[in-house]
Amino acid sequence: EVSRSSNRGRFGAKITRVIEQSPAALAGLRIDDVVLSVDQAPVSSPEELEDLILKRVPGETVTLNVRRGDEELPIKCRLGRL
């Protein structure tokens, strides 16, 4: 689950829940991470994150740019089925 986030003038989608053994968990996403982009496409809201992911094919690997605390990390995530 994600919620809207704004910090330091940058928007994104804040992770509020990670389901065990889900693609997000297997990729290493954590609660309170903020997704800033998907394959360099900016994410300004949870809805935009969902739209970007839904345009992809299950099994495809995407790179999420994630803010974790004061760090920005690239995280590769293999997409699953909804």
Side-chain angles (χ1 to χ4, degrees), residues 2 38-39 41 43 45-60 62 64 77-82:
V2 295
V38 176
D39 286 339
V43 171
S45 69
E47 297 81 13
E48 191 167 26
L49 174 61
E50 182 179 18
D51 288 345
L52 288 168
I53 296 300
L54 288 175
K55 291 178 183 175
R56 308 303 175 113
V57 178
E60 186 176 347
V62 296
L64 306 174
C77 183
R78 186 169 182 258
L79 302 178
R81 296 190 186 279
L82 295 177

Side-chain angles (χ1 to χ4, degrees), residues 18-77:
V18 178
I19 298 169
E20 287 185 39
Q21 298 302 310
S22 68
L26 296 174
L29 288 172
R30 299 179 189 168
I31 293 172
D32 292 330
D33 282 351
V34 177
V35 180
L36 302 172
S37 67
V38 176
D39 286 339
Q40 300 181 352
V43 171
S44 61
S45 69
E47 297 81 13
E48 191 167 26
L49 174 61
E50 182 179 18
D51 288 345
L52 288 168
I53 296 300
L54 288 175
K55 291 178 183 175
R56 308 303 175 113
V57 178
E60 186 176 347
T61 299
V62 296
T63 300
L64 306 174
N65 187 37
V66 173
R67 184 175 59 240
R68 181 176 292 157
D70 291 332
E71 288 186 274
E72 285 190 23
L73 310 167
I75 295 181
K76 292 200 178 289
C77 183

